[in-house]
Amino acid sequence: KKKLKISGRELLSVPIQVFGLDQLQVLEMSPERESCLRYRMELLPQEIGCLRNLTCLYMDSNNLKKIPAEIGTLSHLERLTLSNNSLSSLPTEMGALQRLHSLHLANNSLTELPAPLCQLRSLTFLDVSDNKIDTIPSSIRHLEKLETLLLLFNSLESLPEDICLLRNLHTLWLGNNHLQSLPAAFGELVNLDWGYNYCSCNFEGNPLDSPPPEVCSRGPEGIRDYFLSLHRI
């Protein structure tokens, strides 16, 4: 009664009866694990706001082009997956989802990290890989609980200094961007243990020259020493 999965070979819309299930906590409408299914939903209906008790909403691998403002009324939402859709923007109302701790937005058409995301103080996991994002706003510093940030396959040419304030980061994927340098305080992200766990942080596919890749491989201490040496010069 509290968990519902909707499937169909070519699912186009959400049955209207779903929005009367006001005690529903988990709603799954993603064909991700069923390769024989192809979903074609382009719009998440405004009535999604009726499901005030939702904690998890799975909408991966549809054809969503827009998320309604009513998503912001889901005050209990903790996990939202919207990867593999056609989203180019997100509603500002998403900033009201203060219980949200996991947000998946990989493989959409986003060109920037939407400002509302930087208001989500409980967020610990954010995946915006494989979009067209070219800037990260300095307001990202507000995501003080963020532990995992995946930014692979974007168009980033630089990182804001404020990203170095995310001291709880354990995993940061930056591969396949256009980064030529890192912020001088990058070595302060001491919880990134890429010197020991390759998957924690990587820079592959970037034209990085400051610091050089061989310095990055030494971990935070090597990066700190590199920038300190530049300062002494």
Side-chain angles (χ1 to χ4, degrees):
K1 291 182 180 180
K2 294 186 177 182
K3 181 177 181 179
L4 177 65
K5 178 175 180 178
I6 299 174
S7 63
R9 187 166 294 278
E10 301 243 358
L11 193 65
L12 292 172
S13 61
V14 185
I16 195 66
Q17 297 91 336
V18 170
F19 303 115
L21 303 174
D22 57 3
Q23 297 303 308
L24 197 63
Q25 293 181 348
V26 179
L27 177 57
E28 182 175 348
M29 292 180 286
S30 172
E32 204 163 57
R33 296 177 183 83
E34 301 176 63
S35 58
C36 62
L37 301 180
R38 293 183 300 166
Y39 290 5
R40 292 289 181 266
M41 279 190 289
E42 293 188 2
L43 179 67
L44 183 62
Q46 296 177 345
E47 288 82 3
I48 192 70
C50 298
L51 303 179
R52 299 294 178 87
N53 287 297
L54 272 188
T55 59
C56 300
L57 177 59
Y58 301 94
M59 295 288 296
D60 295 296
S61 302
N62 281 275
N63 193 30
L64 293 175
K65 294 182 167 69
K66 185 178 180 181
I67 301 298
E70 285 75 11
I71 193 83
T73 65
L74 304 180
S75 59
H76 294 283
L77 203 61
E78 297 176 358
R79 183 176 176 85
L80 177 60
T81 68
L82 296 168
S83 296
N84 306 318
N85 280 290
S86 301
L87 298 171
S88 59
S89 63
L90 298 173
T92 57
E93 288 79 5
M94 279 189 65
L97 301 177
Q98 290 304 310
R99 294 193 185 184
L100 197 67
H101 60 71
S102 182
L103 179 58
H104 298 238
L105 291 165
N107 194 22
N108 276 283
S109 299
L110 299 172
T111 57
E112 61 181 0
L113 193 62
L117 301 192
C118 297
Q119 302 172 27
L120 302 176
R121 302 299 178 85
S122 294
L123 206 62
T124 61
F125 181 99
L126 175 58
D127 183 2
V128 287
S129 301
D130 206 1
N131 280 279
K132 300 173 184 177
I133 296 171
D134 58 10
T135 56
I136 301 294
S138 60
S139 54
I140 196 171
R141 66 183 182 277
H142 296 309
L143 301 181
E144 53 197 31
K145 294 184 180 180
L146 199 62
E147 296 179 1
T148 300
L149 177 57
L150 308 184
L151 291 162
L152 296 89
F153 293 98
N154 278 293
S155 302
L156 295 171
E157 295 184 358
S158 63
L159 297 174
E161 289 283 346
D162 287 349
I163 204 169
C164 303
L165 298 175
L166 302 178
R167 301 298 169 79
N168 285 310
L169 272 183
H170 288 266
T171 302
L172 175 61
W173 289 2
L174 294 164
N176 294 92
N177 279 279
H178 306 309
L179 297 172
Q180 295 184 13
S181 63
L182 298 177
F186 199 86
E188 300 301 319
L189 296 175
V190 294
N191 286 318
L192 291 177
D193 58 349
W194 66 92
Y196 310 97
N197 179 0
Y198 176 75
C199 292
S200 290
C201 190
N202 71 74
F203 306 99
E204 284 188 353
N206 286 285
L208 196 66
D209 56 23
S210 178
E214 59 270 19
V215 171
C216 293
S217 67
R218 300 173 198 159
E221 290 185 4
I223 291 177
R224 279 201 301 268
D225 292 344
Y226 171 82
F227 282 112
L228 282 173
S229 67
L230 292 182
H231 183 70
R232 284 195 293 269
I233 294 172

